[in-house]
Amino acid sequence: MLLIHTETTIRAAIYTSMERLIYSENPDMRRKTWRSKTLFRSFPQKEMSRNTTRKNAYRPSAEEVSQWAQSMDNLLNSKYGLTAFRLFMKSEYCEENIEFWMACEKFRKINSRSKLRSKAKRIYEEFIREGSPKEVNLDYHIKETVDQCLILPTQTSFIAAQNKAYHLMEHNSYPRFLESELYCRLCELAKRE
């Protein structure tokens, strides 16, 4: 049994073996959809111990992968699921929704007033302001609500906008993710364990 000792080795093992498994049956997939250099570099690793082998170090269980299809909440609450969904969203060039949702989740956990103000401004500039680099598709009324909340931001200032982004993902991206080749390959990989 080969043991993995460093994070660099872990990342290389994840990238190499998962990419090889996913692309082995369809080499054209590499060119069409996922950016091959970054596909699995950010895939989270499980805690390593001396008894953990390379094969089991980075894969979600079959049960965990099957739970992702039950609800989007299960997908987003799993570190592996969230990473896989983010990779899928990037491949579809619509990662702004998941990134905005994640930024709002972090924002809701902030307790300091000054940090709330600065983080609210950053979220607004990055995701909500007209012409921002990762502008999320929000209607006029939600943008107005967010504008009003920026005067004195609270942990719930972005809740309406976050719910809208969640709704968009749940009804558009999530069904496509479940039908994607990435999800099918992850299901196959999880069943092999």
Side-chain angles (χ1 to χ4, degrees):
M1 286 191 338
L2 183 62
L3 298 178
I4 300 174
H5 297 288
T6 65
E7 184 175 333
T8 306
T9 308
I10 292 170
R11 288 185 185 277
I14 291 168
Y15 175 72
T16 306
S17 59
M18 291 196 74
E19 181 186 51
R20 190 179 317 117
L21 287 168
I22 287 179
Y23 296 135
S24 62
E25 291 176 18
N26 188 357
D28 291 335
M29 189 173 126
R30 178 190 311 252
R31 284 189 305 252
K32 290 181 190 170
T33 41
W34 294 287
R35 299 170 193 154
S36 61
K37 296 290 183 200
T38 59
L39 180 60
F40 286 105
R41 280 204 181 128
S42 62
F43 215 81
Q45 300 89 26
K46 289 183 179 177
E47 290 285 325
M48 297 298 295
S49 67
R50 293 212 174 262
N51 298 329
T52 305
T53 63
R54 173 182 285 188
K55 179 180 176 186
N56 297 331
Y58 55 86
R59 293 184 185 170
S61 68
E63 180 182 334
E64 185 177 1
V65 174
S66 68
Q67 287 178 353
W68 300 347
Q70 293 173 5
S71 76
M72 196 167 90
D73 285 333
N74 289 346
L75 177 68
L76 297 177
N77 289 327
S78 162
K79 68 179 181 178
Y80 293 105
L82 181 60
T83 301
F85 192 53
R86 285 181 69 195
L87 291 170
F88 173 76
M89 298 282 281
K90 283 183 181 183
S91 74
E92 299 261 314
Y93 301 102
C94 60
E95 68 266 20
E96 66 277 351
N97 287 326
I98 189 71
E99 290 179 11
F100 174 68
W101 182 86
M102 291 170 59
C104 291
E105 284 296 298
K106 288 179 185 175
F107 180 80
R108 290 174 37 191
K109 295 175 184 170
I110 296 173
N111 292 323
S112 165
R113 277 265 189 236
S114 61
K115 287 182 181 178
L116 275 174
R117 267 187 242 120
S118 66
K119 184 68 174 174
K121 184 176 180 177
R122 274 186 270 159
I123 289 173
Y124 179 81
E125 290 297 318
E126 187 174 0
F127 297 105
I128 298 174
R129 182 182 48 83
E130 187 81 25
S132 60
K134 297 179 182 178
E135 186 177 358
V136 178
N137 186 13
L138 300 172
D139 60 48
Y140 174 79
H141 298 293
I142 291 176
K143 284 186 177 187
E144 283 297 311
T145 303
V146 170
D147 284 342
Q148 295 301 315
C149 291
L150 288 177
I151 296 168
L152 188 60
T154 65
Q155 293 170 324
T156 60
S157 294
F158 294 103
I159 199 78
Q162 184 183 18
N163 287 339
K164 178 67 174 178
Y166 183 93
H167 179 78
L168 290 170
M169 291 187 298
E170 186 176 39
H171 294 286
N172 294 321
S173 304
Y174 176 64
R176 287 196 320 268
F177 170 74
L178 294 178
E179 294 174 2
S180 72
E181 197 167 338
L182 172 63
Y183 180 69
C184 293
R185 296 294 287 158
L186 288 172
C187 288
E188 290 172 21
L189 290 171
K191 288 177 186 174
R192 289 182 191 172
E193 282 191 19

